[in-house]
Amino acid sequence: MLTEAFPQLNTSRVVTELRAFLRSGWFAAVAVLFMACSELFGLEILVMYCYLAFGAAIVLFSEDMLPVVPLVCCGYMLFSAKNNPGKFPDSLFGTPAGQFALFFAVAVAAVLLVGRLVSMLIRVREKRGIPKFAAGYLMLGAAYLLSGAVSPYYDGRTVLMGFVQIAALSGFYFFFYYTIRWENVPKSYLPMVISIVGAGLLAEVGGMYFNEGVVTAGGGIDRAMLYTGWGIYNNVGCMMAMCMPAPVYFAVKHKNGWRYTLLYTLYYCGVLLTQSRGAILFGSVVYLACVVVTLVRSGGRERLWHILVYAGSLLVAVGALLIFHKNILDLFESLIVSGFNDSARFATWKACWERFTEYPVFGVGFYKTPGTMMTESGMYTEFVEGTPDGVFLALRSHNTLFQLLATGGTFAVVGYAVHRIQTLVLCFRRPSVEKAVAAMCVASLLLTSLLDCHMFNMGPGLMYSVLLVFAEKQDGETASVLQKKTE
């Protein structure tokens, strides 16, 4: 904005170098480093305002809003375990001062982003048109806002919750669609950012094992104590699985790509260490898809090196199982004890179907949708008929389809189906490595949401919206049109 008001700044060496840094992997690495340090050491207030300063610099000096992408991907995951108000009510964000600092930072960030959006809509000459996913998003958004509309449970709270849900899933999709100069964006940019985010997440996974109470009296690990300030092991497992496929882009595109094959194999180990059953199950499926894409899209000596990495990783895993059998059993003790326990999911899904049959058109809304809550021991979840009064974050049903049926009825299912069909059409039309990587990242979210509630959590929704807008705008046909405009 400042450079648009004072064009002479565009020739300034300081501004030029600042712009180059903000669009580089180094800035993404700084954002991820701050995220990890914030979560590990409880530096949320400092990091939030550093992010705010970065955002102000981007709004004032950057040619577009591309450098905001790392901040969006990281911002949700900077909250520390020790300041988790769900675990420690008297911690930082359980106090008025902490809550004010958080809401003030969010409000200022919103003003900066909206101001930049308005500025670019006014000044950018080329027509951006209507986003391809607009129809599906609008239908799904309408379904969320009308959830429970003809039931006695429809009120302002459920409308607000519906707005928050669709905003998390689509807000940055529309924002980046209109505020990034896509003709100048390298196709490697988003895979680079998510690959770096994965490194920060891996550090947070390791940090969970230092939580108080993680090690049991018998020397095993209690996975119920594996949590951060922004989610429990299931949430971390989903995000780790979403980051895992990103290095595949570089494994296929770069010389000596085996290093990136080793990296996403390491991220798969991070998924295992979250001890989330859904993330482990579906993360394993996505990891196999990563292997297939890597081997199919590489050739010659590069393919041989990838095979050697897989073989070496398998040998290390088998050796560890043989040598450290007892230690590994202790590490995954509570996961093994959980086994195939459904944690009240079947009861919840049955109740969701019953709610759907009662109000099949618009459902019963977010707050009367059955969900599950953790027991006092934290080991298992129990079935609950609906969200308790006075609680804003609605309970979730641990399955996307059953959640949609109960919450928004047939209208929500149709809206979601339209949105999903649109994404599948984009994915399978003119396939490319970029689309394959984005599809595997999104698949990690969709598959884990069959057994969990990640599609209705805020953090995964933010990264989901970023993945979709990059997949659309860097599609072969769209990218070629943008390139011609710049020639």
Side-chain angles (χ1 to χ4, degrees):
M1 292 175 68
L2 198 60
T3 54
E4 294 167 351
F6 303 97
Q8 61 270 26
L9 289 175
N10 290 312
T11 59
S12 167
R13 181 179 177 182
V14 173
V15 172
T16 301
E17 292 184 353
L18 175 62
R19 284 178 169 180
F21 169 71
L22 291 173
R23 298 173 73 90
S24 70
W26 291 109
F27 176 65
V30 169
V32 171
L33 178 63
F34 280 26
M35 173 198 79
C37 289
S38 176
E39 197 286 320
L40 293 172
F41 306 113
L43 304 176
E44 291 95 332
I45 300 299
L46 174 62
V47 170
M48 280 193 303
Y49 283 90
C50 284
Y51 274 23
L52 202 58
F54 291 149
I58 294 166
V59 167
L60 293 175
F61 297 106
S62 181
E63 61 183 346
D64 65 5
M65 296 302 286
L66 180 69
V68 171
V69 169
L71 304 182
V72 171
C73 292
C74 294
Y76 181 81
M77 298 180 288
L78 58 79
F79 298 96
S80 67
K82 72 176 187 178
N83 287 325
N84 185 330
K87 300 286 185 180
F88 308 105
D90 297 328
S91 61
L92 177 63
F93 295 106
T95 66
Q99 293 168 359
F100 175 79
L102 172 62
F103 290 127
F104 180 77
V106 172
V108 173
V111 170
L112 289 172
L113 295 176
V114 171
R116 181 60 168 168
L117 173 63
V118 172
S119 173
M120 291 199 71
L121 288 175
I122 293 173
R123 292 177 179 271
V124 174
R125 294 180 180 179
E126 65 265 21
K127 294 182 179 179
R128 296 295 179 94
I130 299 175
K132 292 180 180 178
F133 298 146
Y137 266 134
L138 290 175
M139 284 190 66
L140 189 60
Y144 281 1
L145 294 175
L146 293 172
S147 293
V150 297
S151 75
Y153 315 117
Y154 191 63
D155 57 18
R157 186 173 62 147
T158 196
V159 173
L160 180 59
M161 185 64 183
F163 174 78
V164 170
Q165 289 287 336
I166 194 60
L169 278 177
S170 68
F172 281 104
Y173 166 82
F174 290 104
F175 177 80
F176 288 131
Y177 185 94
Y178 291 107
T179 60
I180 290 178
R181 300 181 187 275
W182 292 99
E183 65 273 13
N184 299 326
V185 180
K187 290 190 175 183
S188 62
Y189 182 78
L190 188 61
M192 173 195 69
V193 169
I194 297 181
S195 295
I196 298 172
V197 172
L201 263 178
L202 192 62
E204 293 192 11
V205 171
M208 293 194 300
Y209 282 83
F210 291 89
N211 290 347
E212 185 178 354
V214 167
V215 181
T216 64
I221 297 295
D222 181 3
R223 71 180 185 131
M225 304 308 294
L226 296 175
Y227 59 86
T228 63
W230 52 272
I232 63 172
Y233 54 88
N234 284 333
N235 307 111
V236 181
C238 171
M239 295 303 293
M240 193 76 245
M242 288 185 73
C243 292
M244 181 181 62
V248 172
Y249 177 88
F250 303 101
V252 172
K253 294 282 189 176
H254 282 202
K255 187 178 180 180
N256 296 321
W258 63 267
R259 295 173 295 181
Y260 298 98
T261 296
L262 188 60
L263 181 61
Y264 70 73
T265 300
L266 183 63
Y267 288 176
Y268 174 62
C269 294
V271 173
L272 298 178
L273 287 174
T274 64
Q275 303 209 30
S276 168
R277 291 176 296 176
I280 291 173
L281 173 62
F282 295 114
S284 298
V285 173
V286 174
Y287 178 77
L288 290 176
C290 292
V291 172
V292 171
V293 171
T294 301
L295 294 179
V296 169
R297 296 306 296 257
S298 59
R301 184 174 295 181
E302 289 292 326
R303 181 179 294 167
L304 176 60
W305 279 107
H306 294 311
I307 293 173
L308 289 175
V309 169
Y310 300 134
S313 301
L314 182 60
L315 286 175
V316 170
V318 172
L321 285 172
L322 293 176
I323 299 172
F324 303 105
H325 179 70
K326 175 64 167 62
N327 303 88
I328 293 174
L329 287 178
D330 289 340
L331 175 65
F332 294 101
E333 177 185 28
S334 61
L335 177 63
I336 295 169
V337 170
S338 297
F340 293 99
N341 185 287
D342 74 310
S343 299
R345 282 170 171 77
F346 292 147
T348 302
W349 299 342
K350 179 181 178 182
C352 284
W353 179 257
E354 292 172 352
R355 298 294 182 279
F356 169 68
T357 57
E358 293 172 10
Y359 297 96
V361 180
F362 293 110
V364 296
F366 283 96
Y367 294 97
K368 286 300 179 180
T369 296
T372 56
M373 295 181 66
M374 295 285 272
T375 60
E376 292 184 2
S377 68
M379 278 293 293
Y380 303 105
T381 50
E382 59 185 359
F383 166 71
V384 182
E385 288 284 350
T387 305
D389 293 336
V391 177
F392 176 68
L393 290 178
L395 294 175
R396 276 66 56 89
S397 303
H398 289 76
N399 177 276
T400 301
L401 179 59
F402 282 109
Q403 177 85 42
L404 291 169
L405 286 169
T407 299
T410 303
F411 190 29
V413 173
V414 171
Y416 181 80
V418 171
H419 173 64
R420 185 57 53 232
I421 290 170
Q422 288 183 321
T423 59
L424 289 173
V425 169
L426 180 70
C427 175
F428 289 106
R429 187 185 59 189
R430 294 187 301 274
S432 64
V433 174
E434 295 82 14
K435 285 186 180 181
V437 170
M440 289 187 293
C441 292
V442 170
S444 297
L445 170 62
L446 300 182
L447 291 173
T448 53
S449 296
L450 295 176
L451 297 176
D452 223 306
C453 47
H454 305 304
M455 276 298 289
F456 296 88
N457 289 335
M458 312 307 168
L462 298 177
M463 189 175 288
Y464 175 80
S465 65
V466 172
L467 284 162
L468 288 194
V469 71
F470 271 78
E472 175 180 340
K473 297 302 290 182
Q474 293 189 323
D475 182 38
E477 179 182 349
T478 306
S480 64
V481 171
L482 289 171
Q483 186 62 35
K484 287 179 181 179
K485 287 184 177 181
T486 63
E487 292 177 351

